[in-house]
Amino acid sequence: MSDINIGEKITQYRKSKGLSIRELAKLADVTPSLLSQIERGLANPSVNSLKAIANALSTPLFTFFTSEVVKEDLIVRGNNRKKVILPGADNVIYEMLTPGLGDNLEFAIMDLSPKSSSCREQIYHNGHEIAYVLEGKVNLYLDNEEFELKKDDSVKIPVGMHHKWENNSDGEVRIIFAVIL
């Protein structure tokens, strides 16, 4: 949160409402001097002062603590997806459909080569996985049970359930999936 400048945000909101420092200070019941210092980053406002300023600007308090989103960074172009190939598993390629890692949502396409599996041992996630078979026929192991999924089939894999994907066919398998953490 070190890159968020609360004073700048207050200034932006104040100016967008067409208010002078004196007018906002009066509405928020703070001194113009204090408000000026907050806006210039020379003083740290108390929580009560921030609440009063937010109320005077008719804006939620949390807006002072949010970062500006660069809209272009939300887009992943089809020809510019990050590809993930795990060491020793070049038969499985993941194409990331979300712009960054570390979110509470992972969204990807998995390409599984013929006669291969997604992993040696079954894995599990700390989140729900939802998958949809785009192409091919694949065996899905959920704990100790095996299921065959074909094109247009989908599955929800609960938190902590061990699973593994296996392509026993001669064709490619393509699965789109999301993991919600």
Side-chain angles (χ1 to χ4, degrees):
M1 214 159 55
S2 61
D3 61 340
I4 297 172
N5 186 325
I6 294 171
E8 278 182 18
K9 292 217 173 234
I10 292 170
T11 304
Q12 289 171 354
Y13 282 98
R14 177 180 58 77
K15 287 181 177 179
S16 74
K17 302 275 184 183
L19 296 171
S20 69
I21 287 179
R22 287 192 183 284
E23 291 168 327
L24 178 56
K26 185 175 181 179
L27 290 170
D29 197 26
V30 296
T31 65
S33 172
L34 175 62
L35 183 56
S36 175
Q37 289 176 357
I38 291 169
E39 286 190 1
R40 292 181 291 140
L42 301 175
N44 292 319
S46 69
V47 173
N48 287 338
S49 294
L50 272 180
K51 282 183 188 177
I53 294 166
N55 286 337
L57 291 169
S58 300
T59 188
L61 181 62
F62 72 85
T63 58
F64 297 144
F65 299 97
T66 57
S67 297
E68 194 65 33
V69 175
V70 179
K71 297 343 178 260
E72 183 66 27
D73 292 345
L74 301 174
I75 299 168
V76 177
R77 303 285 178 196
N79 62 350
N80 198 26
R81 292 184 189 135
K82 291 179 186 163
K83 292 189 180 194
V84 178
I85 302 171
L86 302 175
D90 56 354
N91 57 320
V92 183
I93 299 171
Y94 297 95
E95 288 184 60
M96 303 309 295
L97 300 174
T98 45
L101 298 173
D103 293 336
N104 291 337
L105 172 68
E106 295 174 0
F107 190 44
I109 295 175
M110 177 176 63
D111 291 319
L112 191 55
S113 298
K115 309 290 184 198
S116 65
S117 65
S118 60
C119 50
R120 289 190 180 127
E121 301 293 322
Q122 291 187 19
I123 62 165
Y124 67 93
H125 305 286
N126 291 326
H128 295 279
E129 180 174 338
I130 296 136
Y132 175 84
V133 181
L134 291 168
E135 283 178 35
K137 184 171 73 172
V138 67
N139 292 6
L140 172 62
Y141 295 87
L142 297 174
D143 290 332
N144 296 323
E145 293 184 58
E146 180 180 352
F147 300 89
E148 183 179 273
L149 281 79
K150 298 177 199 152
K151 182 180 190 259
D152 294 330
D153 289 344
S154 59
V155 62
K156 176 182 175 185
I157 303 170
V159 174
M161 181 171 282
H162 289 80
H163 62 283
K164 173 170 99 168
W165 300 91
E166 198 168 78
N167 180 0
N168 294 322
S169 74
D170 293 325
E172 294 287 326
V173 168
R174 191 158 204 182
I175 300 165
I176 189 168
F177 67 92
V179 177
I180 302 153
L181 303 171

